[in-house]
Amino acid sequence: MSRDFPAAEDTAGIAQAATEVRTGVMRLARRLRAERDPGELTLGRLAVLGRLERDGPATASALAAAERVTPQSMARMVQHLIDAELAERDLDPADRRAAIIRITEAGRRTVRQDRGKREAWLAQAMTGLTDVERELLVLAARLLDRLADS
């Protein structure tokens, strides 16, 4: 597949490339969501559990900021996770007025099972790619992570 890629000063070309990247990422995200069983946790709640598993305990306000939702929405998500025994609330030792949210072992299992199911589908789908295509996909994933952090 021979193709000319836009130079940094080619704003129209970069806009077209951005459209292609966005479209591909969104289609893949939808396909990965489709691998989830109906009735499982909402994506928002799962995202909070994943963040707690990855980054460790946090306050609800820190979680709200990180997930870019309102504190009220985060309070509802956290309460649902606590009610489901997937997370727990403890007093913050540094500030007894604040609470720290931490993932439970059941929450960890839930996150791992969800990730495992979707990663198994993705690994299977990737078997149809060549070695070079898989290497390019891994490189693209790393670049997408960099873009997400910008």
Side-chain angles (χ1 to χ4, degrees):
M1 167 172 134
S2 176
R3 180 175 176 160
D4 293 323
F5 290 98
E9 61 277 355
D10 179 5
T11 56
I14 290 175
Q16 178 58 37
T19 297
E20 288 185 48
V21 169
R22 180 191 53 78
T23 302
V25 168
M26 295 305 293
R27 289 189 68 225
L28 180 59
R30 278 194 295 275
R31 185 61 179 86
L32 286 168
R33 279 194 302 270
E35 287 303 308
R36 301 183 74 240
D37 292 330
E40 290 183 358
L41 287 176
T42 65
L43 291 173
R45 291 172 184 161
L46 191 61
V48 172
L49 272 184
R51 184 170 296 281
L52 289 170
E53 196 238 357
R54 248 186 343 273
D55 300 341
T59 63
S61 59
L63 289 169
E67 292 297 319
R68 295 188 169 124
V69 299
T70 65
Q72 296 83 356
S73 293
M74 184 55 65
R76 286 190 297 274
M77 280 192 262
V78 165
Q79 191 57 55
H80 183 276
L81 295 173
I82 290 170
D83 292 346
E85 299 181 349
L86 300 173
E88 58 193 10
R89 182 183 291 123
D90 292 321
L91 288 178
D92 183 346
D95 180 358
R96 305 294 285 172
R97 298 167 295 167
I100 295 287
I101 312 305
R102 71 182 74 253
I103 192 169
T104 63
E105 196 50 46
R108 284 184 205 289
R109 279 192 306 275
T110 298
V111 168
R112 289 181 189 139
Q113 287 170 353
D114 183 79
R115 280 184 191 150
K117 192 182 310 180
R118 290 179 292 135
E119 286 175 2
W121 171 83
L122 187 55
Q124 177 60 39
M126 289 172 62
T127 63
L129 302 176
T130 66
D131 290 345
V132 170
E133 288 171 328
R134 279 192 296 277
E135 288 174 21
L136 285 171
L137 194 55
V138 169
L139 177 60
R142 292 174 184 158
L143 292 171
L144 289 169
D145 268 347
R146 278 182 43 200
L147 289 176
D149 289 337
S150 66

